[in-house]
Amino acid sequence: MAAQWGKISMEFRNGRVFLIFLTGLAIWFAQPVFANKVRGIFSAQQSCPAFVSKNKSINPDNAQILAGNRYDIIEVTKPNPPAWYRIVLPRVNPQARWVSATCGQAQITGEDTGDNESGESDNNCNTAGQADSYVLALTWQPAFCETKPDKPECEIIDPDAYHAKHFALHGLWPNKKNCNKNYAFCGTVKKKKDEFCDYPAIQLDTASQASLAEVMPSVIAGSCLERHEWHKHGSCQENWSINEFFDLSADLVRQFNDSGMAYFMNRRINQKVRTEDFLNRLEAVLGSSARDRIKLNCNQQGMMVEIQLSLSGDLIAGADLEKLIMNAPVQEKSNCGEMFRVDRIGQ
């Protein structure tokens, strides 16, 4: 097929466009467009290689997508249905990678009209200040210590200690939609350390240190959980200093406990509890939205170990916990079944 203007013709040869002088000299060619820029989510159903070039199977760092994870889609091949999706894979270089459509399921939400081909600046999962919600993770310390008895904080078995009768702070986690659980390490530390005390030390003033030590027993025990929480999660927000971040975290812990949920647990220590009863109490003290915004985690012995409470992105110091829950994203399903046990400290 050819089109002619004066002394120049345009021909398609082997999928390429050539402009040719009628003398036969080719002076320019271009590749046709075989992909569309889009926005969407790719849910991996199996682990698969993530190629820089799908045609040549180039994958210099042997990067893979992992089953169960979700990735931003930035491009799809033509025609429909696509055989390949170009996704954003955090913490590799380059981040834009091609994965086979056979590796998962895709949900396209619209066309991408922007000019950011790689999507890295919009979808980077370790860039601070992009949180759209938060998760408040609270531990029932006695049950946690059943599974981690060697932790230094588990040697604190005083029945009058705060964490013996109240939920303790695990962490306050900035969350970014589409990063799943990969929104983390936005500061100078870029990956998880083998031990919490391997992270750089953080400096807290006297008041903040005392406040945090009450709700996070690892601070007293010196096991450095606060270092991990700051470098992995706290570094991804830009609103608060280290002191302010942990002051806010401690305040949210106390709001949850003081709402009546600590009293509920205390009345049932060493007993089995109906999950529905816990959720009914939660709904009564923190609003009807709370039921769908909390995830309960239990261990294999049926003890409640942790709760993860979803909070809205408009989090500010002094914010009311009930209002933060009301506007938050819905949480994942719990794994505690119909009943769970409330463990007693030192048992």
Side-chain angles (χ1 to χ4, degrees):
M1 174 175 139
Q4 184 170 326
W5 298 276
K7 295 182 179 180
I8 300 176
S9 71
M10 181 175 73
E11 296 184 6
F12 289 90
R13 298 179 184 173
N14 298 323
R16 295 180 177 179
V17 182
F18 286 82
L19 290 183
I20 303 178
F21 285 105
L22 291 184
T23 57
L25 176 64
I27 61 171
W28 175 84
F29 71 90
Q31 290 281 7
V33 179
F34 289 128
N36 283 335
K37 291 183 179 180
V38 297
R39 292 187 183 277
I41 298 297
F42 188 86
S43 300
Q45 296 177 323
Q46 57 182 304
S47 297
C48 286
F51 297 108
V52 174
S53 170
K54 63 186 185 314
N55 295 332
K56 297 181 180 180
S57 299
I58 295 176
N59 186 5
D61 48 7
N62 295 317
Q64 287 192 327
I65 59 171
L66 301 178
N69 285 358
R70 290 152 53 92
Y71 304 90
D72 288 342
I73 298 172
I74 58 174
E75 206 168 355
V76 297
T77 55
K78 295 180 180 179
N80 271 331
W84 292 87
Y85 293 90
R86 201 178 189 201
I87 56 96
V88 176
L89 189 61
R91 291 188 285 279
V92 298
N93 186 26
Q95 292 186 332
R97 299 296 178 104
W98 289 102
V99 295
S100 171
T102 61
C103 296
Q105 291 186 338
Q107 181 179 7
I108 303 301
T109 57
E111 294 185 359
D112 186 355
T113 58
D115 58 2
N116 184 355
E117 182 176 338
S118 71
E120 291 178 10
S121 63
D122 290 337
N123 300 294
N124 197 332
C125 291
N126 54 15
T127 298
Q130 298 183 1
D132 47 42
S133 64
Y134 292 82
V135 170
L136 178 66
L138 304 177
T139 302
W140 188 254
Q141 196 73 12
F144 168 79
C145 289
E146 294 283 351
T147 57
K148 303 282 186 179
D150 295 334
K151 288 284 186 180
E153 56 266 38
C154 293
E155 296 178 9
I156 306 173
I157 57 174
D158 180 359
D160 294 322
Y162 185 89
H163 62 268
K165 299 178 180 178
H166 298 80
F167 284 94
L169 175 65
H170 178 174
L172 178 63
W173 304 335
N175 190 45
K176 181 184 175 185
K177 187 179 180 182
N178 300 333
C179 284
N180 200 0
K181 297 183 179 179
N182 293 324
Y183 190 49
F185 296 110
C186 301
T188 56
V189 177
K190 295 301 183 184
K191 62 181 181 180
K192 184 178 179 181
K193 302 291 186 180
D194 291 336
E195 302 291 339
F196 290 164
C197 289
D198 292 340
Y199 290 99
I202 61 173
Q203 298 299 320
L204 291 169
D205 62 33
T206 302
S208 296
Q209 177 90 4
S211 173
L212 184 62
E214 181 182 38
V215 301
M216 183 181 270
S218 60
V219 174
I220 300 173
S223 58
C224 305
L225 174 60
E226 72 278 10
R227 297 190 192 185
H228 171 76
E229 290 302 309
W230 172 256
H231 290 291
K232 181 176 182 180
H233 300 290
S235 64
C236 288
Q237 56 78 37
E238 297 180 321
N239 297 324
W240 311 290
S241 66
I242 295 178
N243 285 308
E244 292 168 339
F245 176 75
F246 283 113
D247 287 347
L248 173 58
S249 302
D251 176 63
L252 293 171
V253 176
R254 294 187 180 96
Q255 283 195 56
F256 183 84
N257 283 320
D258 294 348
S259 70
M261 296 311 299
Y263 177 80
F264 177 90
M265 295 289 282
N266 284 330
R267 298 277 292 178
R268 293 159 179 81
I269 287 177
N270 220 25
Q271 299 178 27
K272 286 189 175 181
V273 176
R274 291 178 64 245
T275 302
E276 187 66 16
D277 290 343
F278 179 91
L279 294 175
N280 285 340
R281 174 60 65 91
L282 180 76
E283 191 173 8
V285 298
L286 287 173
S288 58
S289 301
R291 173 183 290 266
D292 295 324
R293 286 158 178 82
I294 194 168
K295 177 182 179 183
L296 281 59
N297 290 329
C298 290
N299 62 19
Q300 294 181 345
Q301 289 74 42
M303 300 177 187
M304 181 201 279
V305 176
E306 182 172 276
I307 62 171
Q308 295 178 7
L309 193 61
S310 185
L311 308 178
S312 65
D314 55 350
L315 178 59
I316 60 173
D320 182 76
L321 183 59
E322 183 175 350
K323 292 180 180 178
L324 293 171
I325 294 170
M326 186 184 307
N327 299 316
V330 172
Q331 259 288 10
E332 300 173 358
K333 296 184 80 172
S334 303
N335 72 343
C336 286
E338 295 182 357
M339 305 277 291
F340 64 83
R341 183 165 166 253
V342 182
D343 195 29
R344 183 176 62 196
I345 195 168
Q347 185 170 315

